[in-house]
Amino acid sequence: MGATLEALLALREIELQIAEIRRQLAAKERSVARQTEKLRAAEHTLEAGRADLKHTQVAADAADLDLKARDAHVARLRDTLNTVRTNKEYAAIMSQLNNEKADRTRQETRALELLGEVETKRKAVAEQEALVKEESQRLGNIKAQLEQSLASFSARLSALEQQRDAAASRLDGKVLDLFNRLSDRYEGEVMARVVQVHPRRQEFICDGCNMSLSAERANALLTRDEVQTCGSCGRILFMDKSR
Ligand SMILES: [Zn+2]
């Protein structure tokens, strides 16, 4: 294999390692973003739950006040009952008293229902608070992992970037341009191996796209140090020395 192809393969190897590190970092960044979203949703649910609890609590307090007012009214009616002089007055007060007692019973049921609701909602809010805390801790952990990866990868990345620059400086400007264009297009998979389909037949395919290649082109790779690209996918072709 010629020096140009060897330099290209070295460059590809470095580019693939850089791309792999970037992929891992991007995956961690995505999981930070996902967890941030999850925490935000849990906080929204908590806020809504707190508002609802407050609303129910206000209604329960109002029902309790109403009950107290009715109790006072019943007491006043009872006092009045002791002071009436006629049967007619007595009957009228009794009727009011019975009505008020019936209303009070209904109000008491409602007040108890509201107290039950307050209890249920308070429990739900407490559970949601625990969930928010959990999601927040999880986010903290994922962020710490990302920070750790950034720290441990940064030395590796700058070493690789230096190696890449060194490998690139061994290449002709035109070849490097071609490499960079292909690298953008194929996410680092710039090179394609030439595969001999059958050991005894002069048939070759490009490993990048599986299209056939002429024997002349394959043989040129073995004999000359020049860049050959696949006619179908455009990748830079190379042949293993072992083949
Ligand atoms: Zn190809």
Side-chain angles (χ1 to χ4, degrees), residues 57-106:
Q57 182 69 65
V58 167
D61 290 348
D64 193 48
L65 273 181
D66 182 67
L67 266 188
K68 284 187 176 115
R70 283 173 199 277
D71 284 344
H73 192 209
V74 166
R76 276 199 309 279
L77 287 173
R78 283 210 175 103
D79 288 346
T80 316
L81 212 50
N82 294 329
T83 65
V84 294
R85 300 218 161 93
T86 66
N87 278 345
K88 201 179 161 190
E89 270 182 312
Y90 184 86
I93 303 286
M94 260 324 263
S95 160
Q96 269 191 59
L97 192 55
N98 286 334
N99 282 340
E100 188 59 301
K101 276 180 174 169
D103 283 349
R104 195 207 177 274
T105 305
R106 273 196 298 277

Side-chain angles (χ1 to χ4, degrees), residues 113-182:
E113 273 170 16
L114 283 168
L115 276 184
E117 271 179 44
V118 165
E119 221 25 69
T120 307
K121 286 174 181 176
R122 191 171 283 154
K123 232 177 256 171
V125 163
E127 277 167 19
Q128 191 63 25
E129 276 168 351
L131 183 70
V132 164
K133 202 175 160 192
E134 219 173 87
E135 299 292 15
S136 166
Q137 276 169 353
R138 206 167 287 156
L139 178 61
N141 290 341
I142 298 175
K143 272 185 176 165
Q145 280 173 25
L146 173 63
E147 288 305 314
Q148 211 178 351
S149 300
L150 281 171
S152 69
F153 279 147
S154 85
R156 179 102 190 91
L157 260 183
S158 55
L160 282 169
E161 275 159 4
Q162 272 180 18
Q163 287 175 34
R164 181 180 60 189
D165 293 346
S169 71
R170 285 158 60 199
L171 286 165
D172 172 81
K174 264 187 197 158
V175 174
L176 192 59
D177 282 349
L178 173 66
F179 182 95
N180 288 334
R181 273 203 309 281
L182 288 169

Side-chain angles (χ1 to χ4, degrees), residues 7-22:
L8 278 168
L9 281 172
L11 186 56
R12 177 194 76 149
E13 189 48 47
I14 296 161
E15 289 275 23
L16 286 177
Q17 285 182 50
I18 291 174
E20 177 54 28
I21 289 175
R22 296 239 157 92

